[in-house]
Amino acid sequence: MDRIIMFLLAATLAAVRCGCDANYTRNDFPHDFAFGSGTSAYQWEGAYNEDGKKPSVWDTYVHSRNLDNGDITCDGYHKYKEDVQLMVETGLDAFRFSISWSRLIPNGRGPVNPKGLQFYKNFIHEIVSHGIEPHVTLYHYDHPQSLEDEYGGWLNRKIIKDFTAYADVCFREFGNHVKLWTTINEANIFTIGGYDGGGTPPGRCSTCSSGNSSTEPYIVAHNLLLAHASASRLYKQKYKGHKNVIIHIQVSGSKSLKILRMLGPLTYGDYPDGMKRKIGTRLPVFSEEESELVKGSCDFVGVIHYLAASVSDSQSKPFLPGDSKFFADMGVLLTYVGNFTAFEYEIAPWAMEGVLEYIKQSYGNPPVYILENGKPMKQDLQLQQEDTPRIEFLHAYMGAVLKAVRNGSDTRGYFVWSFMDLYELLSGYGYSFGIYSVNFRDPHRKRSPKLSAHWYSAFLKGNTTFLDSQDIMQLQSNLSSSATSL
């Protein structure tokens, strides 16, 4: 990867640092712009060993380390109808969720679990019957442990065939109602966390009990790209009757070098020249056939954005668990705006606008969906209801998205992360992103709207035009008088 490209991106980000118009309404966005929210299977469903589901790598990882876990979490597996009703009351256009591979096909390949299949059919039907569009992610970090045990999971090219077969089941069974598919969630983050730093499943790194941080992240990323492309080709060849379907692989939009790492092959069929020079023989090579398979395999770009990061040329070791080789390979130091380790996210909407501008200019202005954006706050049942900082964060970033759209970005949707408090993959139950609280001490996992849920609902229904102290006071008054429903 050429450093000049990274410096140009840093300059682009600096150029768009700006204040955003505070006085906007939903009507200022395009009429077909989708507003939504989301969850993922391991973080929301619970029921980790019920109805035929077998362990995923997340189950194994957290249980073997005695960590907080998603064994029950929100109990969405049993409470999905209640949660869909909250989506309706909030006024969501769309809802994003993932399918648990180990619930649908417990061994990773072979027989489909009928109870798992029926759960997802019921959930999707419940969403669609209320006029909400389902956005489905096939893989959110949680492949079946059986595949990890059998052949090393994503380190082995065998998983490409197994993932494609799994995707085929999902396309066949759910495709009549699902028009937007994400194949792989945050492929770049998954490779770094699981195979470079070792802080997420399967927990491999050079200083972990197993792994090689200098080679494995590149092998895994390569296989993820090929699996995505294989599933995308399958859909387009086998399911042509499903109209207006778009498929993509998702990347984190907080860090430009990781965008380049994934979007380069997806756009041009190969890794950037500078990256190939830097990584050398440790970087897998696309065959001519594979290059054609990967190139153009995305119908849109899905962006996840939480934190701003400035890029500088440095050999200093960045903050990452384990012995990080990826950033050393890139030859850069990332400085976060806000405290990443303490989950204190500063409001920096210029970074969101910069990412969208960069994608527009560098990759031919493809369709973009902001699939995650949100602010964590410490779990506190006494204080979390009045989450004014989250409202300020969301308001600023939605304004940045609007400005990018007005400047020509083909951004088509914005999803708040997360719809409710979840088991967070990096912090367990210490911090939450939800606009609805979940009382994890209550065996019934009672849900309650936070101030941000009231605010987001009011915005979606056209009842609020801007954010100021009087708006917040009015929302707080509403919350005090009716804390259980919108």
Side-chain angles (χ1 to χ4, degrees):
M1 182 184 306
D2 293 325
R3 289 180 184 173
I4 189 171
I5 295 177
M6 291 185 287
F7 288 138
L8 285 172
L9 176 56
T12 300
L13 291 173
V16 298
R17 293 181 189 231
C18 60
C20 298
D21 184 3
N23 191 6
Y24 64 83
T25 71
R26 181 175 182 171
N27 291 334
D28 291 311
F29 289 82
H31 74 279
D32 56 350
F33 191 94
F35 282 99
S37 190
T39 62
S40 80
Y42 185 76
Q43 296 175 271
W44 171 72
E45 287 179 7
Y48 81 103
N49 62 354
E50 291 186 34
D51 292 343
K53 182 185 178 296
K54 289 189 176 180
S56 73
V57 290
W58 263 104
D59 293 309
T60 300
Y61 183 86
V62 296
H63 290 163
S64 65
R65 290 161 174 79
N66 196 28
L67 301 173
D68 282 350
N69 59 64
D71 289 0
I72 302 174
T73 184
C74 305
D75 197 25
Y77 185 76
H78 298 109
K79 296 175 71 68
Y80 71 91
K81 288 187 178 182
E82 176 183 336
D83 291 344
V84 172
Q85 187 58 42
L86 292 179
M87 299 173 204
V88 174
E89 293 173 0
T90 306
L92 299 185
D93 300 322
F95 188 74
R96 176 176 171 257
F97 64 96
S98 71
I99 291 172
S100 168
W101 189 347
S102 56
R103 189 181 299 282
L104 188 64
I105 306 177
N107 293 317
R109 71 162 73 89
V112 173
N113 175 18
K115 291 186 177 179
L117 175 63
Q118 193 60 52
F119 166 71
Y120 289 114
K121 283 190 171 183
N122 292 345
F123 183 39
I124 290 171
H125 177 266
E126 193 74 13
I127 292 172
V128 172
S129 67
H130 286 88
I132 299 171
E133 183 178 41
H135 288 216
V136 174
T137 299
L138 295 176
Y139 181 72
H140 198 114
Y141 304 170
D142 55 349
H143 59 279
Q145 182 65 37
S146 59
L147 299 185
E148 190 70 22
D149 294 339
E150 180 183 345
Y151 55 66
W154 287 105
L155 284 167
N156 195 310
R157 290 174 65 95
K158 290 180 181 179
I159 201 169
I160 299 170
K161 180 179 179 180
D162 287 338
F163 178 79
T164 305
Y166 159 61
D168 192 14
V169 172
C170 294
F171 295 153
R172 181 182 72 237
E173 299 292 343
F174 313 130
N176 285 334
H177 295 298
V178 178
K179 304 304 179 186
L180 194 149
W181 297 90
T182 299
T183 51
I184 314 264
N185 180 77
E186 283 190 307
N188 42 16
I189 300 298
F190 171 69
T191 60
I192 294 170
Y195 301 87
D196 178 53
T200 58
R204 298 177 63 87
C205 68
S206 292
T207 58
C208 301
S209 59
S210 60
N212 185 332
S213 300
S214 68
T215 58
E216 291 187 358
Y218 301 108
I219 296 169
V220 169
H222 196 75
N223 290 338
L224 287 166
L225 285 166
L226 292 173
H228 152 77
S230 176
S232 178
R233 178 177 64 181
L234 170 78
Y235 195 101
K236 292 170 183 176
Q237 290 179 346
K238 190 174 181 179
Y239 299 97
K240 292 180 180 178
H242 295 160
K243 303 296 185 182
N244 302 319
V245 172
I246 53 180
I247 299 174
H248 83 123
I249 186 172
Q250 188 175 302
V251 300
S252 169
S254 299
K255 308 167 189 70
S256 59
L257 65 167
K258 288 189 281 183
I259 293 175
L260 283 165
R261 178 186 175 191
M262 288 293 180
L263 290 190
L266 295 170
T267 305
Y268 305 113
D270 203 357
Y271 300 106
D273 289 339
M275 184 176 177
K276 290 192 286 185
R277 288 193 299 270
K278 184 73 175 180
I279 309 305
T281 58
R282 290 181 291 128
L283 186 66
V285 177
F286 290 108
S287 69
E288 185 174 340
E289 181 182 356
E290 289 170 343
S291 178
E292 288 302 313
L293 177 69
V294 172
K295 182 179 179 180
S297 59
C298 276
D299 299 320
F300 73 99
V301 175
V303 170
I304 288 178
H305 183 90
Y306 292 103
L307 279 167
S310 61
V311 182
S312 60
D313 187 18
S314 172
Q315 297 301 320
S316 300
K317 186 175 181 179
F319 166 77
L320 276 177
D323 182 22
S324 175
K325 299 294 185 184
F326 174 77
F327 288 100
D329 283 341
M330 297 300 102
V332 300
L333 175 66
L334 294 180
T335 303
Y336 289 97
V337 177
N339 188 336
F340 177 78
T341 60
F343 287 84
E344 295 172 2
Y345 292 12
E346 291 187 11
I347 297 176
W350 53 266
M352 171 78 83
E353 190 183 346
V355 166
L356 297 178
E357 181 67 19
Y358 176 72
I359 292 173
K360 181 184 77 174
Q361 293 185 10
S362 301
Y363 298 101
N365 200 21
V368 173
Y369 285 80
I370 309 299
L371 292 179
E372 289 184 27
N373 179 239
K375 179 179 176 62
M377 296 179 66
K378 192 170 184 178
Q379 279 276 26
D380 186 330
L381 289 175
Q382 300 300 316
L383 300 175
Q384 67 177 335
Q385 302 295 341
E386 298 181 1
D387 54 345
T388 301
R390 179 174 288 118
I391 295 174
E392 295 170 343
F393 184 97
L394 297 175
H395 183 265
Y397 279 84
M398 287 163 59
V401 172
L402 176 59
K403 186 167 184 181
V405 169
R406 286 171 168 169
N407 288 336
S409 171
D410 191 12
T411 302
R412 300 183 180 183
Y414 174 91
F415 289 68
V416 172
W417 187 266
S418 54
F419 187 60
M420 62 182 58
D421 294 344
L422 309 168
Y423 168 80
E424 283 300 331
L425 300 182
L426 294 179
S427 63
Y429 297 100
Y431 288 81
S432 65
F433 287 79
I435 60 174
Y436 283 84
S437 68
V438 176
N439 186 349
F440 294 108
R441 300 186 189 126
D442 178 1
H444 300 291
R445 298 303 197 266
K446 181 180 179 182
R447 284 85 156 116
S448 301
K450 301 179 186 179
L451 196 63
S452 55
H454 288 273
W455 176 83
Y456 195 39
S457 179
F459 170 80
L460 295 177
K461 296 172 182 177
N463 296 333
T464 187
T465 57
F466 58 91
L467 178 70
D468 63 19
S469 59
Q470 289 184 341
D471 293 324
I472 294 174
M473 290 176 63
Q474 183 61 50
L475 285 171
Q476 289 173 336
S477 175
N478 294 343
L479 184 61
S480 298
S481 61
S482 178
T484 58
S485 69
L486 289 173

